[in-house]
Amino acid sequence: DVKVTQSSRYLVKRTGEKVFLECVQDMDHENMFWYRQDPGLGLRLIYFSYDVKMKEKGDIPEGYSVSREKKERFSLILESASTNQTSMYLCASTTGAGAPQPQHFGDGTRLSIL
Amino acid sequence: QQQVKQSPQSLIVQKGGISIINCAYENTAFDYFPWYQQFPGKGPALLIAIRPDVSEKKEGRFTISFNKSAKQFSLHIMDSQPGDSATYFCAASKNTGFQKLVFGTGTRLLVSP
């Protein structure tokens, strides 16, 4: 069974702090994604990565960066946290090959910026 | 062109009834249409998916109906159960190696006992 693990379920940080959200998957998947989920807005793609050290901007990348140094790990970085980044953050992974495959999600990190 | 519009935002159905959630898209390059189910405190999980070469796909009580000319697709949950109470997201993607999905805004379904 695919497991996507997000390092924290809940996180509280202060405005201006640099924040790291970590995600690890155990299925050797090529593709990894970071989304934020807000009520009434659904899931919006922040960044994704299709290989180690490769990254692509999603629909709302402003204020975020990512790092993928190892295939199993994908980190989301809030360079200088702001209150409008308070949200639920979801990580997902999927294999890159062939026909469309399910995205496997972690259980999310609820981040509050004070 | 990248949006997927989903309705209704919330839905209450009696146990045993039919739940219907609708989605519409603009981008004709989309060719994969999954539905994800999310329970409170959990990440979304794939429920059922369809490609545009068929008009309907059924898995148990869950059916996707797809209308390519209208650029619409819908999820039907037959004999809805309280355990189906969850948030449902439709999504769409182009058939590329990146597997990048565009999600709808979600429907919160409550099935009353």
Side-chain angles (χ1 to χ4, degrees), chain A residues 38-82:
Chain A
D38 300 288
L41 297 177
L43 278 69
R44 294 180 292 165
L45 182 64
I46 304 171
Y47 267 96
F48 67 101
S49 168
Y50 53 91
D51 202 350
V52 174
K53 297 191 185 295
M54 305 304 289
K55 60 185 180 184
E56 292 282 341
K57 292 180 179 179
D59 301 317
I60 52 165
E62 297 77 20
Y64 303 94
S65 63
V66 289
S67 172
R68 193 163 180 205
E69 296 295 321
K70 293 184 178 182
K71 191 174 186 179
E72 68 271 17
R73 187 180 295 270
F74 192 34
S75 302
L76 180 69
I77 304 157
L78 285 65
E79 297 290 344
S80 177
S82 64

Side-chain angles (χ1 to χ4, degrees), chain B residues 20-85:
Chain B
I20 302 174
I21 305 170
N22 300 299
C23 286
Y25 64 98
E26 289 293 326
N27 191 341
T28 54
F30 287 149
D31 67 351
Y32 173 68
F33 302 90
W35 285 87
Y36 280 77
Q37 180 188 53
Q38 184 182 30
F39 293 106
K42 296 292 186 181
L46 179 67
L47 181 65
I48 186 173
I50 196 168
R51 303 294 299 274
D53 50 343
V54 295
S55 61
E56 186 175 281
K57 184 173 181 180
K58 185 175 182 179
E59 289 185 2
R61 297 184 293 108
F62 300 90
T63 300
I64 300 178
S65 297
F66 185 78
N67 185 329
K68 189 173 182 178
S69 61
K71 292 184 283 187
Q72 294 175 347
F73 58 110
S74 59
L75 177 69
H76 292 64
I77 306 174
M78 312 301 287
D79 187 26
S80 298
Q81 299 296 312
D84 297 331
S85 298

Side-chain angles (χ1 to χ4, degrees), chain A residues 4-6 21-25 31-36 43 72-76 88-93 103-109, chain B residues 43-44:
Chain A
V4 178
T5 302
Q6 295 185 231
L21 303 184
E22 307 287 345
C23 175
V24 177
Q25 50 95 1
N31 299 329
M32 297 188 74
F33 306 83
W34 275 106
Y35 297 90
R36 65 178 282 176
L43 278 69
E72 68 271 17
R73 187 180 295 270
F74 192 34
S75 302
L76 180 69
M88 171 68 81
Y89 289 87
L90 290 163
C91 174
S93 73
Q103 288 194 11
H104 299 271
F105 284 84
D107 287 337
T109 295

